[in-house]
Structures are given as structure tokens and as C-alpha cells.
């Protein structure tokens, strides 16, 4: 069994991006720029935004955090996005989700210029992803594909079973794995909460992608020998033995499933670190496009 080390791979990607940005700057050009817009003061969102900002700085990318208070109206937010759409220093716009309830998330995402939509959530980019055209792939699914690619895991003709059909993980990763191209070309099954006998499907997986949001949900009896396991879940469970009183686990019972797996991502340290690395990669792609 081999651990898929997302921390190591994300560090490699950041190094590659850093070199590329240094080259851009050495030619006297402005670096790629990302703005992260945060509405309200949700503590988890604040942490994510700061992490993204720090990651940009570490590779020489320009970044701004636009903090808006929770009472910001939809109209005000749309106006600010429009300003960034027209700001030549900013190549990528990310609106940290979730937004306060009085703001329509779809409307906000659709207001971002598709060529600056580095989260890959705009329907234009989602549509391009489905039909296999060049697009911004949303960051977590893109990170999963990149992990498989960099570990030379064969995907062609393999049965990929995705558990979860969210718009940010399940659906886009299923669509990516389905494309007739290198690093994909898989036979894909997507499961969700209405699946009658989930094990029937998961046991068929050559590559199992779990994006459920339920701690240790996938157990040893649900997978076959030598399965490749990509665990997207991030769940906090009580653990009095730790300083904080809790710890993070995935959707997969790592301890037991890893005994049967050929490859497996740990939580933390698997898919998680890839998300920011791919956001940075998308921002550089946006810069090159513009
Ligand atoms: P989500 O929107 O809540 O979607 C969960 C999916 O799991 C839904 O499609 C749901 O089915 C399905 N599901 C729930 N219970 C099920 C069951 N008993 N059997 C089969 N399917 C079931 O969650 P998400 O946003 O995709 O996130 C999933 C997990 O990944 C979460 O733990 C999240 O924190 C984590 N995540 C991690 C990253 C990262 O960077 N590593 C990024 C994003 C998300 P229905 O559609 O029928 O409800």
C-alpha cells in the first residue's frame, strides 16, 4: 500500500509555479494576481482566505483580500466584482463561499468574468468541463486528477466510483474522469444518498473517490483488494486525547481500508493541500489567458 502524499505533491506544484512567476517578473511584467472576496466573518472562511493569501505570497503571486461586512448587499457585492472584472492587476477572482443568506450565490458566481473564474464554478466553465473543452477545472477535482497523474496511476478503462454528487466535488470529478484524454478515460459511476445498495457499487471500484462528508463512512467490507482510494472528506470528530479535543478524519475508515488498498490518500495531508495548489495553478492559467 502506498500513501498518496498530497502535501508533497502540492509543494512540488507550488515550486513549479514559483519558478514560472519568477520568470514572468524577470521579464519586467506584473505577476499574476488573485483577489479573494470574503463577506461576513465566518471563522472557517476567514482561515481559508488567509491561507490562500499566504500561499500566493509564498510563490510571488500578487493577492488581495477584499473583506466586506455581513450586511453588504447583493448589489454592492456585484458592483465590487465588476470592478475586479475590469482590474488588469487581478487575473483571478474568488468569492469565498458560503455567502450570507440574503445574497444569491448563483447570481454572484455568474457575475465573475469566466476568464477570471479561477474556482471554475461559473456555468460557462462548468459547461466547458462537461464537453471536454479547455476550461478552469474546479480546484478540488483538479487536485484529485493531478494526484492520480503524478502517482502514475492508470485511469484508462478503470472503473471510477464517485460517492457524492455535489457541484464542487462529485459532479466535476466524475466529468473529469470521464473525458477521453490522458489521465482520465475511465468508466465512471456516481453514487449518492438515494443509492439502494452503496456497497454493490463501491466494491466494483478500481478507483474510489469518496466525497460524502461523513466520518469513516467507507469501511473495509465496502471495497475490493488493491483499490485506489481518494478520500475527499474532511470531518471533525471528538477526541479527548488531543489538545484541541477533536481531530480531522476523512470519509474513509483509513485504518482498515488502507490494509486492502494499493494507494490511499490520508486525511489530513491528501486531497486537502491540493485544493490551494490548483487554485494557484488556475490563477497562472488565467494570467496566461489574459
Ligand atoms: P455535500 O455537498 O454535502 O455532498 C455530499 C454528497 O454525499 C451528496 O451528493 C450526498 O448525496 C452524498 N451522500 C450523503 N450521504 C450519503 C450516503 N449515505 N450514501 C451515499 N451518498 C451520500 O458535500 P461536498 O461539498 O461534496 O463535500 C464532501 C466532503 O468533502 C466534505 O467532508 C467536505 O468537507 C469535503 N471537501 C473537501 C475539500 C478539500 O479541499 N479537501 C473540498 C471540498 C469538500 P445527495 O446528493 O443525495 O444528498
Amino acid at each position: 500500500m502506498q500513501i498518496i502524499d498530497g502535501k508533497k505533491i502540492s509543494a512540488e506544484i507550488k515550486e513549479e509555479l514559483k519558478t514560472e512567476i519568477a520568470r514572468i517578473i524577470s521579464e519586467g511584467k506584473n505577476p499574476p494576481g488573485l483577489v479573494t472576496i470574503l463577506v461576513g466573518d465566518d471563522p472557517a472562511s476567514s482561515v481559508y482566505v488567509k491561507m490562500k493569501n499566504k500561499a500566493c505570497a509564498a510563490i510571488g503571486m500578487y493577492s488581495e483580500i477584499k473583506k466586506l461586512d455581513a450586511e453588504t448587499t447583493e448589489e454592492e457585492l456585484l458592483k465590487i466584482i465588476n470592478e475586479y472584472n475590469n482590474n488588469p492587476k487581478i487575473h483571478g477572482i474568488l468569492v469565498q463561499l458560503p455567502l450570507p443568506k440574503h445574497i444569491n450565490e448563483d447570481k454572484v458566481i455568474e457575475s465573475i468574468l469566466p476568464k477570471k473564474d479561477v474556482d471554475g464554478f461559473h456555468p460557462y466553465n462548468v459547461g466547458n468541463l462537461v464537453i471536454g473543452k479547455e476550461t478552469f477545472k474546479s480546484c478540488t477535482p483538479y487536485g484529485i486528477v493531478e494526484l492520480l497523474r503524478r502517482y502514475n496511476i492508470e485511469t484508462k478503462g478503470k472503473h471510477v466510483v464517485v460517492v457524492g454528487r455535489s457541484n464542487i466535488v462529485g459532479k466535476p470529478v466524475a466529468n473529469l474522469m470521464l473525458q477521453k484524454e490522458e489521465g482520465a478515460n475511465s468508466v465512471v459511476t456516481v453514487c449518492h444518498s438515494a443509492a439502494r445498495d452503496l456497497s454493490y457499487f463501491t466494491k466494483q471500484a478500481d478507483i474510489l473517490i469518496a466525497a460524502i462528508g461523513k466520518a469513516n463512512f467507507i469501511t473495509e467490507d465496502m471495497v475490493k483488494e488493491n483499490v485506489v482510494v481518494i478520500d475527499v472528506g474532511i470531518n471533525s470528530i471528538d477526541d479527548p486525547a488531543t489538545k484541541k479535543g477533536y481531530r480531522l478524519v476523512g470519509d474513509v475508515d483509513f485504518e482498515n481500508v488502507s490494509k486492502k488498498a494499493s494507494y490511499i490518500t490520508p486525511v489530513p495531508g491528501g486531497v486537502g493541500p491540493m485544493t490551494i495548489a490548483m487554485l494557484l495553478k488556475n490563477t497562472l492559467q488565467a494570467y496566461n489567458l489574459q
Side-chain angles (χ1 to χ4, degrees):
M1 185 274 294
Q2 202 180 335
I3 299 274
I4 297 179
D5 188 345
K7 251 180 153 170
K8 182 175 137 249
I9 300 291
S10 74
E12 279 172 24
I13 294 170
K14 286 183 198 162
E15 264 321 300
E16 291 162 14
L17 296 172
K18 193 174 171 181
T19 306
E20 179 59 13
I21 291 168
R23 191 192 58 77
I24 290 169
I25 295 170
S26 75
E27 288 173 359
K29 296 179 192 153
N30 284 329
L34 172 75
V35 63
T36 310
I37 303 175
L38 175 66
V39 187
D41 44 21
D42 175 63
S45 293
S46 300
V47 171
Y48 292 142
V49 166
K50 277 188 200 138
M51 278 166 65
K52 288 165 188 170
N53 199 45
K54 218 172 129 190
C56 286
I59 62 162
M61 194 173 264
Y62 174 74
S63 78
E64 283 181 24
I65 299 179
K66 183 76 179 172
K67 272 186 108 173
L68 303 168
D69 62 48
E71 285 72 44
T72 304
T73 65
E74 186 177 289
E75 201 187 344
E76 283 164 341
L77 178 57
L78 294 175
K79 191 167 166 267
I80 288 165
I81 291 172
N82 191 44
E83 282 163 16
Y84 282 116
N85 278 340
N86 293 302
N87 181 340
K89 260 170 82 177
I90 296 296
H91 307 89
I93 302 173
L94 184 148
V95 178
Q96 187 66 41
L97 303 177
L99 288 167
K101 287 206 168 62
H102 65 276
I103 299 179
N104 181 330
E105 239 167 59
D106 290 342
K107 217 169 157 184
V108 168
I109 290 169
E110 283 166 35
S111 76
I112 299 170
L113 269 185
K115 65 177 181 184
K116 295 195 175 188
D117 168 42
V118 285
D119 241 346
F121 291 162
H122 192 291
Y124 176 85
N125 287 321
V126 175
N128 276 343
L129 184 137
V130 173
I131 60 174
K133 280 174 75 176
E134 183 68 26
T135 184
F136 291 111
K137 304 176 182 92
S138 50
C139 304
T140 302
Y142 191 11
I144 294 169
V145 171
E146 199 64 17
L147 282 178
L148 294 170
R149 194 176 74 78
R150 293 197 185 222
Y151 272 84
N152 292 315
I153 293 169
E154 179 66 85
T155 54
K156 184 179 175 185
K158 298 289 176 183
H159 190 183
V160 172
V161 177
V162 182
V163 188
R165 59 173 160 189
S166 71
N167 289 337
I168 63 164
V169 190
K171 280 182 200 153
V173 80
N175 277 297
L176 282 172
M177 296 312 297
L178 191 61
Q179 298 306 321
K180 195 170 181 176
E181 58 187 46
E182 192 93 6
N185 216 355
S186 306
V187 174
V188 181
T189 299
V190 184
C191 301
H192 43 75
S193 68
R196 295 233 172 96
D197 178 4
L198 189 63
S199 290
Y200 168 80
F201 299 103
T202 56
K203 273 184 196 154
Q204 294 177 40
D206 298 314
I207 300 173
L208 179 68
I209 302 177
I212 312 160
K214 290 188 173 158
N216 301 323
F217 185 81
I218 302 287
T219 48
E220 189 191 354
D221 55 312
M222 293 171 78
V223 300
K224 69 176 181 188
E225 288 289 342
N226 293 324
V227 62
V228 174
V229 179
I230 305 291
D231 189 353
V232 189
I234 303 176
N235 310 288
S236 168
I237 59 166
D238 292 340
D239 185 353
T242 64
K243 230 179 175 181
K244 292 177 179 164
Y246 69 89
R247 68 191 160 91
L248 297 181
V249 298
D251 289 344
V252 176
D253 173 11
F254 182 88
E255 198 188 328
N256 296 306
V257 172
S258 61
K259 290 177 190 149
K260 274 177 120 174
S262 53
Y263 290 87
I264 188 165
T265 59
V267 176
V271 175
M274 293 298 289
T275 301
I276 290 187
M278 302 327 276
L279 169 69
L280 302 174
K281 205 169 160 70
N282 276 348
T283 306
L284 179 62
Q285 185 188 332
Y287 173 88
N288 288 331
L289 263 177
Q290 289 159 52

